[in-house]
Amino acid sequence: MDVRFAVNVAPKEGILDPQGRAVEGSLGHLGIEGVSAVRVGRRIELTVSADDGGAARAIVDRLASELLSNPLIESYQVEELGAASSLVGGAA
Amino acid sequence: MDVRFAVNVAPKEGILDPQGRAVEGSLGHLGIEGVSAVRVGRRIELTVSADDGGAARAIVDRLASELLSNPLIESYQVEELGAASSLVGGAA
């Protein structure tokens, strides 16, 4: 079975997030008010072919912790997007 | 009211995604099989203070299209994470 997942990687709390600060610094130029606590992370979407959902999930977890995130400074969270078809670039 | 949002930014279909190719190229080294169609994008989480949910959503949409994504090569999708509290770095 093919399952499409998203892995959301975010800087851990307390870790500096220069990209988030840059976004906040740009808000004034756009005249946008009321936006705060901006955190910039990554989102990786991928398709896993495995025997069952549990095996697919195990592969994603391994990939997320060993390749897609740096556990020292980042946390990740896996989201199952459903059976894979043409979900590339699609919705959550 | 304070609402926490996530903006998921992904390369549009047909647009080169060198980071996705790099991840796929690393899978062999990790001995991971069955992973395909990797797309690497960004995920920005932020809190919006506005009079109501509609106003908050309008601010996020403007921010997403004008600052957080490049509409020529990227698409974005807004996810409402709920009333803001200590959701920074939290779940979807």
Side-chain angles (χ1 to χ4, degrees), chain B residues 54-75:
Chain B
R57 179 70 187 226
I59 289 173
V60 175
D61 275 329
R62 202 181 144 211
L63 198 55
S65 61
E66 294 183 23
L67 183 64
L68 302 178
S69 72
N70 177 349
L72 284 176
I73 57 170
E74 294 170 325
S75 61

Side-chain angles (χ1 to χ4, degrees), chain A residues 4 8 13 27 30 32 34-39 41-45 47-49 62-63 66 77 88 92, chain B residues 4 8 13 27 30 32 34-39 41-45 47-49 62-63 66 77 88:
Chain A
R4 187 101 183 135
N8 298 323
E13 242 174 303
L27 295 169
L30 285 173
I32 293 180
V35 175
S36 61
V38 181
R39 304 290 278 171
R42 294 187 301 289
R43 178 180 171 93
I44 301 98
E45 297 191 4
T47 298
V48 181
S49 298
R62 199 179 147 213
L63 198 55
E66 294 184 22
Q77 166 248 334
V88 175
Chain B
R4 187 101 183 135
N8 298 323
E13 243 173 303
L27 294 170
L30 285 171
I32 294 181
V35 174
S36 61
V38 180
R39 305 290 281 170
R42 293 186 302 289
R43 177 179 172 95
I44 302 98
E45 297 191 4
T47 299
V48 181
S49 299
R62 202 181 144 211
L63 198 55
E66 294 183 23
Q77 166 248 335
V88 175

Side-chain angles (χ1 to χ4, degrees), chain A residues 44 46 63 67-68, chain B residues 18-28 38 40:
Chain A
I44 301 98
L46 49 94
L63 198 55
L67 183 65
L68 303 178
Chain B
Q19 292 182 92
R21 296 300 75 69
V23 169
E24 289 174 358
S26 301
L27 294 170
V38 180
V40 177

Side-chain angles (χ1 to χ4, degrees), chain A residues 1-3 48-56 59:
Chain A
M1 64 183 294
D2 285 4
V3 190
V48 181
S49 298
D51 292 338
D52 55 63
I59 290 174

Side-chain angles (χ1 to χ4, degrees), chain A residues 2-3 9 14 17 25-26 29 37 47 54 70-71 73 75-76 78 85-86 90:
Chain A
D2 285 4
V3 190
V9 180
D17 176 17
S26 302
H29 301 293
T47 298
N70 176 347
I73 56 169
S75 61
Y76 70 86
V78 175
S85 52
S86 57

